[in-house]
Each structure stands twice: as C-alpha cells, then as structure tokens.
Amino acid sequence: MMARTVLTHADITRALTRISHEILESNRGTSGLVILGIPTRGVHLARRIAAIIQHIEADAPAQLAGSLDVTMYRDDLSRTRTRTPSPTELPGGVDGKTVVLVDDVLYSGRTIRAALDALSDIGRPRAVRLAVLVDRGHREFPIRADFVGKNLPSSTGERVNVRLAETDGDDSVSIDGGAVS
C-alpha cells in the first residue's frame, strides 16, 4: 500500500511555530522553562521549538533545549530490539521548572510514561507538559498531549512515519498500511 503524505515541510514548520507560541503563552515567557526531547526525533523537534522560542523571545536562555533518554525505563525492553541509550542532556536542572517533553508521535503513551519515570529520577519539576508533532490516538495509559501539531486518527494497522531533515534528509509525515478512507 502506498504511503500518503499528511504533513509537508511547510506544515511541520507551521505546527512547530504554533506549538512554540502555545508553550510561551501557557508558561508566560521562558522563565523556568526547560524543553526536553525524547530521542531520536523528539530531540530534533525540541531543538527546533527552542530555536523558534528564542527567535520570538529576546530574553530566552541560550540553552533551552535538551534530551531525555528513556531507554532503560521502557516496559518493552525484553520484547523489542535493544536501543543504544543516548545521553540525557539537561540545560540546567529541572527542579522547580516547567518541563516540556517533546516527541514525534503519541500513540499508546508508553514512551511518555517511561519519560515521566526517567524525569522523576532526575529531579522534581514544578510542572510537566507534553508536546507532540502527531497524536494518533490508541492510548493505553491516561496520557494527553498539551500541545499537538496534528491529530491524526488512525487504525492500529496503520503506520505513521515521521521524517526529519536532521535524520532522514527531508521533513514529512506520512501514513501507510490499513484501509484507505
């Protein structure tokens, strides 16, 4: 079955710009804000969001984005191929700050649950928010994104493919498999 593109480079840029503005509005600026991407593509999205925020807010800190490795907190380590852990990179601590976790696709919620566990081992944030490029539904945990680029209802037989220039050479989101509606 042929994949169909649901987000182009321009769509992704608009979505990340909107998410960045929503983050600033909900946080009332950049004071006490930390943006942590979940490897792999979430890290690139977090850096893009941080760059947009830094462009909008003149007083934004130079180190706003980092990464949060969740590999050892996943509940599927025994069933899937083992990933090589990525180093967690924090722009300062998380204690007392608003942490925005960033990932490419929100599906079952298991990765975000792992991220919350990893984050609690690092410190105690004032608040944790979630930003995702695509929310495709099918939650297995009571987790909801605060900032969403695109809601993309899908069947469990479909696959959402996020491509980013940093890892894949171009920006797009496509969906393939399952029945075409």
Side-chain angles (χ1 to χ4, degrees), residues 94-171:
V94 298
D95 290 336
K97 296 183 180 178
T98 298
V99 174
V100 179
L101 296 173
V102 181
D103 205 2
D104 56 350
V105 178
L106 177 57
Y107 184 39
S108 67
R110 290 182 178 279
T111 299
I112 303 310
R113 187 221 33 96
L116 293 169
D117 288 347
L119 191 58
S120 70
D121 278 355
I122 293 169
R124 185 181 168 102
R126 182 180 66 77
V128 180
R129 305 286 181 250
L130 176 59
V132 297
L133 181 60
V134 175
D135 183 345
R136 63 175 292 191
H138 304 286
R139 223 67 84 238
E140 296 172 8
F141 285 90
I143 291 174
R144 176 188 61 84
D146 300 282
F147 314 105
V148 178
K150 179 158 183 79
N151 285 297
L152 185 60
S154 61
S155 75
T156 56
E158 292 175 311
R159 178 166 174 78
V160 174
N161 304 297
V162 175
R163 294 179 53 88
L164 297 178
E166 296 88 341
T167 56
D168 308 300
D170 67 331
D171 286 350

Side-chain angles (χ1 to χ4, degrees), residues 15-174:
L16 294 179
T17 300
R18 180 174 34 80
I19 287 170
S20 301
H21 280 281
E22 290 173 356
I23 290 169
L24 283 170
E25 288 171 13
S26 71
N27 198 59
R28 294 187 171 91
T30 60
S31 177
L33 183 64
V34 175
I35 301 171
L36 296 178
I38 299 170
T40 297
R41 288 170 183 80
V43 174
H44 301 302
L45 294 172
R47 288 180 184 147
R48 290 186 192 188
I49 289 169
I52 294 167
I53 287 173
Q54 289 163 334
H55 179 74
I56 296 167
E57 293 284 317
D59 64 345
Q63 292 296 324
L64 191 57
S67 64
L68 180 65
D69 182 51
V70 302
T71 303
M72 301 314 295
Y73 294 88
R74 297 186 61 90
D75 62 1
D76 60 356
L77 282 176
S78 64
R79 288 184 280 151
T80 61
R81 65 183 170 110
T82 304
R83 296 184 195 190
T84 304
S86 306
T88 292
E89 299 170 3
L90 298 176
V94 298
D95 290 336
K97 296 183 180 178
T98 298
V99 174
V100 179
L101 296 173
V102 181
D103 205 2
D104 56 350
V105 178
L106 177 57
Y107 184 39
S108 67
R110 290 182 178 279
T111 299
I112 303 310
R113 187 221 33 96
L116 293 169
D117 288 347
L119 191 58
S120 70
D121 278 355
I122 293 169
R124 185 181 168 102
R126 182 180 66 77
V128 180
R129 305 286 181 250
L130 176 59
V132 297
L133 181 60
V134 175
D135 183 345
R136 63 175 292 191
H138 304 286
R139 223 67 84 238
E140 296 172 8
F141 285 90
I143 291 174
R144 176 188 61 84
D146 300 282
F147 314 105
V148 178
K150 179 158 183 79
N151 285 297
L152 185 60
S154 61
S155 75
T156 56
E158 292 175 311
R159 178 166 174 78
V160 174
N161 304 297
V162 175
R163 294 179 53 88
L164 297 178
E166 296 88 341
T167 56
D168 308 300
D170 67 331
D171 286 350
S172 67
V173 176
S174 63

